[in-house]
Amino acid sequence: MDKGKASKELETSLQNLDLNPQSNVKNKISIATNHHQFQGLLPKKMKPPSLVSLCIGVIGKHLEDIITDLPEIAIGLPAEIKTAVAAIARRRKLLNDDVLIALADTSWEYLDVSGSDVSDVGLIKAAEVCRSIKALDISRCTKITATGISELVKHCRLLETLRCGGCLRSDHTARRCLSIFKPRLDYVEEDSWEELDTKEISSGAQSLRWLVWPNIDNNSLDEISTECPRIIVNLKSSPFGFMGTQVPWEALQNTVLDDVAVKDIDPKTWRGRGFAVKPASPSPSTSPELSVAEKFRLAFEERDNRLAPKRAKNARQHQRRAVRELMLMSTRAKAMVLASQASKSLHSRSS
């Protein structure tokens, strides 16, 4: 081998020599991980939790110790933190009327109280505050009746998605609320348009479009489909939407409304020792069947509450008609009324 050829090979070898083996290893690892055969085999680098998420987790872990002071604490909390605390309280089976009322915020657009101890009192108070609610989950809430739902739709005019049912008592309440779910014009009897109360012209859920009711019976489904086809019941997920309409994520059956509030919070930070999350949807067979007496009691109570405003309105009508008849039949009474009006007119002019 001549000297020229040997020197050329030596120069080539020196050029290929890498004096930084660490970078060589990194390059090989980078090439390997970028190859399609290795994608998904190596664990992805997890993003560390934020300080806010850690603090919310600590609040959630000791939530039972601060419930009595929660109204004062929640005053200075932003709306998104209130939502996260409410979601943790629901998961820890601590969400009740007091907690919901303390955390309710005017900017909330969705509310999940499913499987909680919230009753009509807490739901009505929250509806009076959270008038911008567009999606609500009251499934498996055994203390919420048709009275609470009736007041809810009066205050939350933007409600588009409602999730209900899930157990025997909640299914019974949902069946009693069919007339509330369907928007309608009320038939009112007044003597003149001046006496007509504007809030009595229409009632029902005016904006309701999506109803998630897993155990809906055939009769209820037929009634909604026939009388109010605008309300879609138990829509299955589809990438193409529904009849050209974009389906909101709140209307999908397997969606948990408040998951988005705690997605960045590690459950280990708020779970207490020995705490286990109960299943979200217990089997209907495990719920006790309502007795006949209880069904009659609930039906009578809901009917009485539903007819109470009409009874009050009829009483006012009878009172006004009695005054008119008295004025027409009795000249003395008519004179007294006219004298009273004249006296008021003179007093107003003199003042």
Side-chain angles (χ1 to χ4, degrees):
M1 180 182 297
D2 56 352
K3 293 182 179 180
K5 187 176 181 179
S7 62
K8 189 175 181 180
E9 291 180 355
L10 179 61
E11 183 181 356
T12 303
S13 299
L14 291 174
Q15 290 177 352
N16 294 333
L17 180 62
D18 189 357
L19 300 179
N20 189 2
Q22 189 69 20
S23 64
N24 191 22
V25 173
K26 290 182 179 180
N27 291 335
K28 291 181 179 179
I29 293 177
S30 177
I31 294 173
T33 54
N34 290 333
H35 197 274
H36 67 89
Q37 293 181 351
F38 294 93
Q39 290 180 357
L41 296 180
L42 296 177
K44 294 183 179 180
K45 195 172 183 180
M46 299 297 294
K47 182 180 178 181
S50 65
L51 181 59
V52 175
S53 298
L54 293 175
C55 293
I56 296 175
V58 173
I59 294 175
K61 185 175 183 179
H62 301 280
L63 191 57
E64 60 267 63
D65 300 327
I66 63 173
I67 282 182
T68 54
D69 300 321
L70 194 57
E72 291 77 14
I73 297 174
I75 292 177
L77 296 179
E80 59 271 13
I81 294 182
K82 291 181 182 180
T83 305
V85 174
I88 294 175
R90 188 182 70 82
R91 285 160 172 75
R92 295 202 57 192
K93 303 302 177 184
L94 297 173
L95 185 60
N96 54 25
D97 292 340
D98 295 333
V99 175
L100 179 60
I101 294 172
L103 295 173
D105 192 89
T106 55
S107 64
W108 282 2
E109 293 188 354
Y110 68 90
L111 176 61
D112 191 340
V113 296
S114 57
S116 68
D117 291 330
V118 173
S119 67
D120 288 342
V121 176
L123 184 64
I124 294 172
K125 291 290 185 181
E128 293 174 354
V129 176
C130 312
R131 294 177 178 266
S132 300
I133 291 293
K134 295 181 179 179
L136 173 68
D137 192 340
I138 56 172
S139 57
R140 307 185 310 281
C141 289
T142 58
K143 297 182 180 180
I144 292 179
T145 66
T147 302
I149 298 177
S150 177
E151 292 297 319
L152 167 75
V153 299
K154 289 180 182 179
H155 296 292
C156 301
R157 296 290 186 176
L158 302 179
L159 183 66
E160 298 177 353
T161 304
L162 180 65
R163 308 170 70 90
C164 58
C167 66
L168 289 175
R169 187 178 292 273
S170 295
D171 289 335
H172 173 75
T173 300
R175 283 191 293 270
R176 300 292 300 176
C177 294
L178 287 179
S179 59
I180 301 175
F181 294 157
K182 299 175 295 185
R184 68 183 186 277
L185 293 176
D186 287 344
Y187 177 74
V188 294
E189 294 182 353
E190 294 290 355
D191 296 331
S192 65
W193 281 101
E194 290 79 5
E195 298 176 356
L196 183 63
D197 193 352
T198 55
K199 67 182 180 180
E200 295 177 347
I201 296 177
S202 62
S203 61
Q206 303 295 327
S207 301
L208 186 62
R209 180 69 189 275
W210 315 97
L211 183 65
V212 182
W213 183 359
N215 301 326
I216 186 172
D217 57 284
N218 294 330
N219 293 333
S220 300
L221 181 60
D222 292 340
E223 183 175 347
I224 293 177
S225 302
T226 303
E227 299 184 17
C228 190
R230 186 191 68 173
I231 300 178
I232 310 303
V233 183
N234 296 334
L235 177 70
K236 293 182 173 58
S237 59
S238 172
F240 306 104
F242 180 80
M243 298 180 63
T245 303
Q246 183 67 31
V247 179
W249 61 271
E250 302 95 338
L252 302 179
Q253 294 192 46
N254 296 326
T255 300
V256 180
L257 286 186
D258 58 4
D259 266 357
V260 66
V262 293
K263 65 178 181 179
D264 296 328
I265 303 175
D266 187 358
K268 296 178 182 178
T269 60
W270 55 263
R271 286 181 187 172
R273 181 176 299 178
F275 174 79
V277 179
K278 295 183 179 180
S281 55
S283 174
S285 60
T286 60
S287 302
E289 176 67 36
L290 292 177
S291 64
V292 177
E294 181 67 11
K295 290 181 179 179
F296 273 106
R297 188 191 69 80
L298 290 174
F300 177 79
E301 180 181 350
E302 292 171 2
R303 180 179 179 275
D304 185 68
N305 292 332
R306 188 174 65 254
L307 295 179
K310 189 172 184 179
R311 288 197 300 268
K313 183 179 68 175
N314 291 337
R316 294 194 301 268
Q317 290 179 351
H318 289 310
Q319 185 178 5
R320 289 194 295 266
R321 288 171 183 170
V323 171
R324 293 194 191 99
E325 291 176 358
L326 180 62
M327 292 179 61
L328 293 175
M329 296 176 61
S330 174
T331 308
R332 179 182 177 82
K334 186 174 182 179
M336 291 177 63
V337 172
L338 293 175
S340 176
Q341 293 176 354
S343 177
K344 290 181 180 179
S345 177
L346 290 175
H347 281 299
S348 61
R349 289 180 181 178
S350 61
S351 59

